[in-house]
Amino acid sequence: MENAIRIKDLNVFAGKTQILKNINVEIPKNEITVILGPSGCGKTTLLKCMNRLTDLYPELKVSGEILINDKNIFAPGADISKLRQSMGLLSQRPYPLPMTIYNNIAYALKLRGIRGRRKQHVLVMDYLKQANLYDEVRKRLREPASRLSIGQQQRLCLARGLAVNPDIILADEPTSALDPISSRFIDEKFQEIKPHFTIVVVTHVLRQARRIADNVIFMYMGEVVEQGPAKDFFENPQEEKTKSYLEGMFN
């Protein structure tokens, strides 16, 4: 099985506090990998390392390697802008750009170099439809995106993320602030598009992990406790911490 991301000996420190401890994981291509674990275990930090959002926090010191297409993203001269463009990002709370609904997606298309207004328009409509948002906003395209509901904003951010035409989608608890209908749509959309994208989802919700994961990375206190195919992880866990977590002994 081809891996989209390989992480080797990754460590992250904030001052003297170690947040991630010697992380070694492989993330398969065109599947959904769920990073699972209790709050505060380092899941989000690991996700941020993958597109170097950790660079935005000067107090964080990162060592190790993350290989994408066999290139270390921490190597001197790495193109961070190109790296981030290759990854769509869904945050815990949606962050639409401070512009119209239409322009949120048109902006992403411009990043890809698509300039023709007619072509842009066709693609904006297409991505809104892919995010199951078109029917709800087709008469409101020139309104500020901030007027949308939280669930609609998250679907707009998904549409914008797809419009960048990424290889990898990173999602940090993308359904935690959403209503059940919007949450179910995001989960179903991930499963629908995974043949075309590598998807990495951070969650602490076991129910969601069981529903969508092809592979699981289970973390606790900054360490990877267990990783592997979801079926094996849930049906035949190897580590005692994993068994305790699945039994609800800690969260």
Side-chain angles (χ1 to χ4, degrees):
M1 182 178 296
E2 186 178 356
N3 291 312
I5 304 172
R6 287 185 293 147
I7 301 176
K8 297 181 177 181
D9 302 322
L10 182 69
N11 292 276
V12 178
F13 286 85
K16 294 182 179 180
T17 302
Q18 189 166 6
I19 301 173
L20 295 181
K21 305 171 184 177
N22 201 38
I23 305 296
N24 289 276
V25 297
E26 296 182 343
I27 295 176
K29 187 175 182 179
N30 300 130
E31 294 190 356
I32 300 174
T33 295
V34 167
I35 304 175
L36 182 66
S39 297
C41 70
K43 305 185 300 294
T44 293
T45 301
L46 177 57
L47 197 75
K48 286 179 177 178
C49 286
M50 294 181 198
N51 66 353
R52 287 189 53 172
L53 281 180
T54 45
D55 290 12
L56 302 178
Y57 304 88
E59 71 275 14
L60 295 183
K61 304 302 178 187
V62 181
S63 65
E65 295 184 345
I66 296 181
L67 301 171
I68 297 176
N69 297 324
D70 293 321
K71 294 181 180 178
N72 179 17
I73 67 170
F74 295 116
D79 189 335
I80 301 174
S81 177
K82 186 176 180 180
L83 168 70
R84 290 176 182 161
Q85 190 173 332
S86 73
M87 297 187 179
L89 178 64
L90 281 182
S91 302
Q92 189 169 3
R93 290 189 64 84
Y95 291 101
L97 299 173
M99 53 182 68
T100 66
I101 296 167
Y102 185 98
N103 285 339
N104 260 264
I105 300 174
Y107 176 80
L109 295 172
K110 290 176 184 176
L111 290 177
R112 281 172 55 186
I114 296 173
R115 302 293 177 185
R117 295 180 68 178
R118 180 184 289 270
K119 188 172 184 179
Q120 278 187 13
H121 182 78
V122 170
L123 288 172
V124 168
M125 299 304 108
D126 181 55
Y127 285 115
L128 285 172
K129 289 172 183 175
Q130 286 189 45
N132 198 30
L133 193 57
Y134 174 77
D135 289 339
E136 297 170 41
V137 303
R138 61 190 178 88
K139 295 181 179 180
R140 305 171 56 193
L141 294 175
R142 301 301 174 184
E143 290 185 12
S146 58
R147 293 184 185 175
L148 296 173
S149 70
I150 294 295
Q152 289 172 328
Q153 287 182 23
Q154 190 67 302
R155 282 182 281 148
L156 179 65
C157 289
L158 175 61
R160 189 182 69 212
L162 294 176
V164 178
N165 197 28
D167 299 314
I168 298 166
I169 295 175
L170 306 178
D172 186 8
E173 301 197 28
T175 62
S176 63
L178 306 186
D179 61 90
I181 293 174
S182 295
S183 297
R184 186 164 60 250
F185 170 78
I186 295 290
D187 286 349
E188 290 173 354
K189 191 65 182 178
F190 284 163
Q191 291 173 309
E192 176 189 331
I193 66 177
K194 71 181 180 182
H196 310 289
F197 302 92
T198 299
I199 303 172
V200 185
V201 180
V202 162
T203 186
H204 62 270
V205 180
L206 273 172
R207 184 175 62 256
Q208 182 181 37
R210 290 179 186 275
R211 189 165 57 241
I212 68 172
D214 297 305
N215 308 281
V216 177
I217 298 168
F218 173 57
M219 296 184 66
Y220 185 70
M221 299 290 287
E223 298 181 286
V224 172
V225 175
E226 189 165 343
Q227 60 179 304
K231 181 178 174 63
D232 294 342
F233 178 85
F234 289 115
E235 295 182 5
N236 188 31
Q238 300 300 302
E239 302 295 329
E240 288 303 318
K241 277 194 179 74
T242 308
K243 294 175 184 176
S244 296
Y245 185 75
L246 293 177
E247 291 169 2
M249 300 298 288
F250 60 90
N251 53 44

PDB file of all heavy atoms in Angstrom, residues 49-60:
ATOM      1  N   CYS A  49       1.719  19.955  12.363  1.00  0.00           N
ATOM      2  CA  CYS A  49       3.061  19.696  11.851  1.00  0.00           C
ATOM      3  C   CYS A  49       3.020  19.330  10.368  1.00  0.00           C
ATOM      4  O   CYS A  49       3.963  19.629   9.625  1.00  0.00           O
ATOM      5  CB  CYS A  49       3.724  18.561  12.627  1.00  0.00           C
ATOM      6  SG  CYS A  49       4.260  19.001  14.295  1.00  0.00           S
ATOM      7  N   MET A  50       1.935  18.703   9.927  1.00  0.00           N
ATOM      8  CA  MET A  50       1.884  18.177   8.563  1.00  0.00           C
ATOM      9  C   MET A  50       1.855  19.266   7.505  1.00  0.00           C
ATOM     10  O   MET A  50       2.245  19.026   6.363  1.00  0.00           O
ATOM     11  CB  MET A  50       0.679  17.237   8.410  1.00  0.00           C
ATOM     12  CG  MET A  50       0.780  15.981   9.231  1.00  0.00           C
ATOM     13  SD  MET A  50      -0.637  14.892   9.001  1.00  0.00           S
ATOM     14  CE  MET A  50      -0.480  13.851  10.459  1.00  0.00           C
ATOM     15  N   ASN A  51       1.345  20.448   7.844  1.00  0.00           N
ATOM     16  CA  ASN A  51       1.427  21.551   6.875  1.00  0.00           C
ATOM     17  C   ASN A  51       2.211  22.738   7.442  1.00  0.00           C
ATOM     18  O   ASN A  51       2.083  23.865   6.984  1.00  0.00           O
ATOM     19  CB  ASN A  51       0.045  21.982   6.394  1.00  0.00           C
ATOM     20  CG  ASN A  51      -0.798  22.597   7.474  1.00  0.00           C
ATOM     21  OD1 ASN A  51      -0.408  22.602   8.645  1.00  0.00           O
ATOM     22  ND2 ASN A  51      -1.948  23.130   7.113  1.00  0.00           N
ATOM     23  N   ARG A  52       2.986  22.455   8.456  1.00  0.00           N
ATOM     24  CA  ARG A  52       3.899  23.417   9.092  1.00  0.00           C
ATOM     25  C   ARG A  52       3.183  24.644   9.648  1.00  0.00           C
ATOM     26  O   ARG A  52       3.754  25.727   9.712  1.00  0.00           O
ATOM     27  CB  ARG A  52       5.008  23.817   8.116  1.00  0.00           C
ATOM     28  CG  ARG A  52       6.020  22.693   7.928  1.00  0.00           C
ATOM     29  CD  ARG A  52       7.257  23.089   7.154  1.00  0.00           C
ATOM     30  NE  ARG A  52       7.935  24.264   7.691  1.00  0.00           N
ATOM     31  CZ  ARG A  52       9.122  24.693   7.263  1.00  0.00           C
ATOM     32  NH1 ARG A  52       9.759  24.022   6.313  1.00  0.00           N
ATOM     33  NH2 ARG A  52       9.672  25.767   7.771  1.00  0.00           N
ATOM     34  N   LEU A  53       1.961  24.453  10.110  1.00  0.00           N
ATOM     35  CA  LEU A  53       1.309  25.530  10.856  1.00  0.00           C
ATOM     36  C   LEU A  53       2.012  25.775  12.179  1.00  0.00           C
ATOM     37  O   LEU A  53       1.842  26.828  12.792  1.00  0.00           O
ATOM     38  CB  LEU A  53      -0.172  25.209  11.088  1.00  0.00           C
ATOM     39  CG  LEU A  53      -1.113  25.460   9.915  1.00  0.00           C
ATOM     40  CD1 LEU A  53      -2.542  25.106  10.296  1.00  0.00           C
ATOM     41  CD2 LEU A  53      -1.040  26.898   9.427  1.00  0.00           C
ATOM     42  N   THR A  54       2.807  24.804  12.600  1.00  0.00           N
ATOM     43  CA  THR A  54       3.610  25.001  13.811  1.00  0.00           C
ATOM     44  C   THR A  54       4.582  26.168  13.649  1.00  0.00           C
ATOM     45  O   THR A  54       5.035  26.736  14.644  1.00  0.00           O
ATOM     46  CB  THR A  54       4.395  23.719  14.135  1.00  0.00           C
ATOM     47  OG1 THR A  54       4.990  23.214  12.935  1.00  0.00           O
ATOM     48  CG2 THR A  54       3.481  22.649  14.719  1.00  0.00           C
ATOM     49  N   ASP A  55       4.887  26.550  12.408  1.00  0.00           N
ATOM     50  CA  ASP A  55       5.776  27.694  12.171  1.00  0.00           C
ATOM     51  C   ASP A  55       5.196  28.990  12.733  1.00  0.00           C
ATOM     52  O   ASP A  55       5.933  29.948  12.981  1.00  0.00           O
ATOM     53  CB  ASP A  55       6.019  27.885  10.668  1.00  0.00           C
ATOM     54  CG  ASP A  55       6.879  26.782  10.072  1.00  0.00           C
ATOM     55  OD1 ASP A  55       7.095  25.766  10.753  1.00  0.00           O
ATOM     56  OD2 ASP A  55       7.333  26.940   8.919  1.00  0.00           O
ATOM     57  N   LEU A  56       3.869  29.012  12.910  1.00  0.00           N
ATOM     58  CA  LEU A  56       3.206  30.228  13.390  1.00  0.00           C
ATOM     59  C   LEU A  56       3.364  30.409  14.894  1.00  0.00           C
ATOM     60  O   LEU A  56       2.950  31.430  15.438  1.00  0.00           O
ATOM     61  CB  LEU A  56       1.714  30.182  13.032  1.00  0.00           C
ATOM     62  CG  LEU A  56       1.384  30.029  11.541  1.00  0.00           C
ATOM     63  CD1 LEU A  56      -0.130  29.948  11.343  1.00  0.00           C
ATOM     64  CD2 LEU A  56       1.974  31.180  10.740  1.00  0.00           C
ATOM     65  N   TYR A  57       3.951  29.417  15.559  1.00  0.00           N
ATOM     66  CA  TYR A  57       4.114  29.459  17.010  1.00  0.00           C
ATOM     67  C   TYR A  57       5.606  29.425  17.330  1.00  0.00           C
ATOM     68  O   TYR A  57       6.207  28.336  17.406  1.00  0.00           O
ATOM     69  CB  TYR A  57       3.389  28.275  17.660  1.00  0.00           C
ATOM     70  CG  TYR A  57       1.920  28.201  17.316  1.00  0.00           C
ATOM     71  CD1 TYR A  57       1.494  27.525  16.170  1.00  0.00           C
ATOM     72  CD2 TYR A  57       0.965  28.828  18.102  1.00  0.00           C
ATOM     73  CE1 TYR A  57       0.150  27.465  15.838  1.00  0.00           C
ATOM     74  CE2 TYR A  57      -0.385  28.763  17.779  1.00  0.00           C
ATOM     75  CZ  TYR A  57      -0.780  28.092  16.641  1.00  0.00           C
ATOM     76  OH  TYR A  57      -2.107  28.038  16.309  1.00  0.00           O
ATOM     77  N   PRO A  58       6.234  30.586  17.524  1.00  0.00           N
ATOM     78  CA  PRO A  58       7.688  30.644  17.724  1.00  0.00           C
ATOM     79  C   PRO A  58       8.177  29.834  18.922  1.00  0.00           C
ATOM     80  O   PRO A  58       9.345  29.419  18.958  1.00  0.00           O
ATOM     81  CB  PRO A  58       7.956  32.143  17.947  1.00  0.00           C
ATOM     82  CG  PRO A  58       6.773  32.853  17.402  1.00  0.00           C
ATOM     83  CD  PRO A  58       5.611  31.930  17.548  1.00  0.00           C
ATOM     84  N   GLU A  59       7.293  29.605  19.893  1.00  0.00           N
ATOM     85  CA  GLU A  59       7.706  28.869  21.086  1.00  0.00           C
ATOM     86  C   GLU A  59       7.860  27.375  20.828  1.00  0.00           C
ATOM     87  O   GLU A  59       8.438  26.649  21.649  1.00  0.00           O
ATOM     88  CB  GLU A  59       6.707  29.098  22.220  1.00  0.00           C
ATOM     89  CG  GLU A  59       5.336  28.440  22.045  1.00  0.00           C
ATOM     90  CD  GLU A  59       4.348  29.263  21.224  1.00  0.00           C
ATOM     91  OE1 GLU A  59       4.783  30.220  20.559  1.00  0.00           O
ATOM     92  OE2 GLU A  59       3.154  28.934  21.258  1.00  0.00           O
ATOM     93  N   LEU A  60       7.353  26.895  19.689  1.00  0.00           N
ATOM     94  CA  LEU A  60       7.433  25.471  19.391  1.00  0.00           C
ATOM     95  C   LEU A  60       8.739  25.130  18.674  1.00  0.00           C
ATOM     96  O   LEU A  60       9.121  25.792  17.712  1.00  0.00           O
ATOM     97  CB  LEU A  60       6.250  25.033  18.525  1.00  0.00           C
ATOM     98  CG  LEU A  60       4.860  25.133  19.150  1.00  0.00           C
ATOM     99  CD1 LEU A  60       3.805  24.600  18.187  1.00  0.00           C
ATOM    100  CD2 LEU A  60       4.782  24.385  20.477  1.00  0.00           C
TER     101      LEU A  60
END
